[in-house]
Amino acid sequence: GVGPSDASPDEGVVEDLPLIDEKAVEQLTEGLISHYLPDLQRSKSALQELTQNQVVLLETLEQEISKFKECNSIVDINALFSEAKHYHNKLVNIRNEMMMLHEKTSKLKVSGMKY
């Protein structure tokens, strides 16, 4: 049968709760806080240091990236110069060939006039 012995052992505890001493709770809370606070503050300062280090790292990275970009543009400029040289040489060669052709044709004209 269902008798008083079947009552849950936790029953009655809830009713006891209001009897807890507020001062004791306060002291317990303060104890807990004072126990955990130094660790939390250490963690906080460690996190702040980490964050600052990350900021510095990011700034350094950005500087390095911009240096690389500058290097790249210098490489591009060098490529342009060598290309320009290449085309200039081609033009010089073409001009020389044209002059040779011109000389040949004028010689031919002269020899043609002799006949």
Side-chain angles (χ1 to χ4, degrees):
V2 177
S5 58
D6 291 330
S8 150
D10 290 336
E11 244 177 68
V13 173
V14 179
E15 287 141 37
D16 292 341
L17 277 177
L19 301 176
I20 287 173
D21 184 8
E22 300 253 333
K23 189 83 184 132
V25 170
E26 212 173 288
Q27 283 175 331
L28 273 171
T29 308
E30 275 175 22
L32 274 171
I33 288 173
S34 64
H35 180 75
Y36 286 111
L37 200 60
D39 279 341
L40 285 172
Q41 281 171 333
R42 270 197 296 274
S43 300
K44 187 185 174 187
S45 61
L47 276 173
Q48 281 174 333
E49 202 179 317
L50 245 176
T51 309
Q52 283 171 338
N53 287 345
Q54 280 183 329
V55 168
V56 170
L57 198 70
L58 279 173
E59 282 171 1
T60 311
L61 266 176
E62 276 171 17
Q63 286 171 357
E64 291 301 310
I65 288 169
S66 64
K67 276 186 204 167
F68 271 117
K69 281 182 182 166
E70 279 172 29
C71 284
N72 262 352
S73 58
I74 288 168
V75 167
D76 289 348
I77 289 166
N78 286 338
L80 266 177
F81 273 121
S82 59
E83 224 172 295
K85 252 187 188 170
H86 173 69
Y87 284 113
H88 174 74
N89 289 339
K90 273 192 169 182
L91 281 172
V92 169
N93 289 338
I94 289 169
R95 194 190 65 176
N96 289 343
E97 280 176 29
M98 296 282 279
M99 283 172 73
M100 275 169 60
L101 281 172
H102 178 69
E103 273 176 38
K104 279 183 185 173
T105 49
S106 53
K107 275 182 191 170
L108 280 172
K109 273 185 194 166
V110 171
S111 61
M113 284 170 83
K114 281 181 185 166
Y115 291 110

